[in-house]
Amino acid sequence: YGGFQGKRMHNRYIYSRFRPIRTWKEDSRNLTCALFLDASHIMAATTGGQLLQYDALTGDIVDEWSDSHSNAIASMGSTRDCRTFLTCSPEDAECKVWRHFPETSELNLCDLYPSIQNAVFSNANDTLLGTSMLGAVLYNIETGKKMRSFSDHMSQPYPRTNSAFSMDDQLYDGILWDARSARIIHKFDKFTNYSWGHFAKNGVDVIINSEVWDARTFKLLRSCPALAQSEIVLDRSGDTIFAVLRPWHAFGPRKLFYNLSKSFRTLDTYDYELVTTVNSERMVQGVCISPCNEFVGVVEVDHSNHVSGMLESSWRIMQAGRKRESEFDESDGEDDGDDR
């Protein structure tokens, strides 16, 4: 990999350049988020609670499920094999776990977890941690039964929070917990009302808004302004952060598409330095990473010409590690889709 820290330099080079491959517009439905089922299929969610499976190569809708949720799906997440994934609807206050069978494009509902606004699978993919403004609940995926609850009545509820697992069974939902005993380990200082947090790949760093804390000493390691009020997604290796600006006041059933940014950023998890900023012509709603880390799916919205609340949604496939071929590639990329 090129000597000392060669792999890190290799990753920084790859995620410093992105080439748009293709862009597809969805005029009749508003997309909210998406994830890769495999290298050639994407599952996208809508404000109407629908799930749409796209062919990532042609942009065609392979299948759709119109009764997934009653209201908007705000977030999605998958296991490492991408066969099982979850969808969360804060307005319905529920999380559903689905099993996808790529051979038949069949989608089965495995379980429903009530009173959840956001959820995440554990690293072992055997438990699910759901979060609400009142705390977090840990479920066994196989049985669907509640294992334990995590709630601190002395803490202030936050309008937008999430849960995250570390590599050694600690978890974060605004507070650092021991997942095995439901014991509070530490309460980190919060400098804003935005309580979105993640563990870094090393399992030691806890990223809360723009601050990075040491989970061993509970000391502030550094501040990273590029992560302020951003929702972050890690690539499959955990070496690169994809950050999308999501102001805390932009959340709610009627605010999914407003106060967004026309860009997303990539950062190195080694030192949290900014690698690059990828600009777009539309508001970036979210990003997802393909299983091979080669492609990035970007959900975009344009409400500049919306009429009666209808927005123009689109999703774009970008290839990491390749530069744009010309200035024309700065546009939607719709005409260069055959060049892969």
Side-chain angles (χ1 to χ4, degrees):
Y1 288 97
F4 178 66
Q5 293 190 352
K7 182 180 178 181
R8 177 189 166 215
M9 296 297 104
H10 178 72
N11 287 334
R12 287 180 64 96
Y13 177 83
I14 291 177
Y15 293 116
S16 66
R17 58 205 66 216
F18 295 88
R19 180 190 172 194
I21 300 298
R22 300 201 59 165
T23 300
W24 293 269
K25 294 182 180 180
E26 183 62 59
D27 296 327
S28 58
R29 287 166 287 206
N30 297 330
L31 304 180
T32 57
C33 52
L35 57 79
F36 278 90
L37 296 175
D38 51 45
S40 58
H41 292 91
I42 285 180
M43 186 71 76
T46 72
T47 54
Q50 300 168 311
L51 288 174
L52 308 174
Q53 182 182 343
Y54 289 92
D55 187 313
L57 301 179
T58 65
D60 297 332
I61 295 180
V62 178
D63 210 339
E64 61 180 275
W65 297 267
S66 59
D67 56 351
S68 303
H69 289 270
S70 300
N71 291 287
I73 300 173
S75 62
M76 305 173 71
S78 68
T79 55
R80 287 194 173 273
D81 63 2
C82 298
R83 295 292 186 92
T84 303
F85 68 92
L86 60 83
T87 56
C88 295
S89 174
E91 199 169 356
D92 291 340
E94 65 180 15
C95 169
K96 292 183 178 181
V97 175
W98 309 84
R99 181 69 175 177
H100 178 254
F101 299 90
E103 299 83 4
T104 60
S105 294
E106 183 181 357
L107 187 66
N108 291 342
L109 177 62
C110 299
D111 219 329
L112 185 151
Y113 302 95
S115 304
I116 289 180
Q117 295 179 327
N118 192 281
V120 63
F121 288 113
S122 65
N123 296 306
N125 298 326
D126 58 350
T127 56
L128 177 146
L129 186 65
T131 314
S132 68
M133 293 181 64
L134 302 178
V137 181
L138 187 67
Y139 290 95
N140 184 298
I141 297 177
E142 293 295 329
T143 63
K145 294 183 179 180
K146 181 190 297 186
M147 298 175 62
R148 57 186 60 91
S149 299
F150 306 88
S151 179
D152 179 28
H153 301 290
M154 300 298 294
S155 295
Q156 174 188 354
Y158 290 87
R160 181 65 169 174
T161 187
N162 77 309
S163 300
F165 281 97
S166 71
M167 299 300 177
D168 58 351
D169 288 330
Q170 293 180 349
L171 63 89
Y172 168 84
D173 72 326
I175 300 173
L176 190 66
W177 299 83
D178 186 333
R180 296 162 293 189
S181 62
R183 178 177 60 89
I184 295 179
I185 298 175
H186 184 71
K187 296 181 183 179
F188 291 100
D189 294 331
K190 299 182 178 69
F191 302 136
T192 68
N193 287 332
Y194 193 84
S195 186
W196 194 270
H198 279 275
F199 283 94
K201 177 184 178 180
N202 58 18
V204 174
D205 296 352
V206 181
I207 308 168
I208 306 175
N209 192 30
S210 59
E211 285 71 46
V212 182
W213 301 81
D214 192 320
R216 300 165 298 183
T217 63
F218 314 127
K219 293 183 178 180
L220 180 64
L221 297 177
R222 57 174 59 86
S223 293
C224 182
L227 292 176
Q229 297 193 38
S230 295
E231 183 174 333
I232 69 176
V233 178
L234 296 175
D235 71 334
R236 299 287 176 168
S237 64
D239 295 322
T240 304
I241 294 174
F242 289 76
V244 179
L245 179 64
R246 303 294 299 274
W248 69 268
H249 58 274
F251 289 95
R254 308 303 175 193
K255 299 179 181 180
L256 279 172
F257 300 106
Y258 296 92
N259 301 304
L260 302 178
S261 173
K262 292 185 176 182
S263 65
F264 67 87
R265 295 171 173 173
T266 59
L267 297 93
D268 188 347
T269 56
Y270 179 81
D271 54 8
Y272 303 97
E273 288 187 0
L274 179 66
V275 176
T276 191
T277 299
V278 182
N279 296 313
S280 172
E281 295 181 351
R282 304 178 181 88
M283 300 292 184
V284 176
Q285 173 70 11
V287 299
C288 57
I289 319 300
S290 68
C292 60
N293 281 340
E294 183 179 0
F295 299 101
V296 178
V298 185
V299 179
E300 302 172 329
V301 293
D302 184 4
H303 56 73
S304 59
N305 297 317
H306 72 281
V307 178
S308 302
M310 286 302 297
L311 310 174
E312 183 182 273
S313 295
S314 61
W315 58 273
R316 179 189 302 210
I317 299 294
M318 308 185 79
Q319 185 174 14
R322 297 188 63 183
K323 286 186 176 181
R324 303 174 188 266
E325 288 191 343
S326 64
E327 294 181 358
F328 180 76
D329 284 341
E330 294 287 343
S331 63
D332 289 339
E334 295 167 296
D335 294 332
D336 62 344
D338 294 331
D339 186 6
R340 289 187 280 272

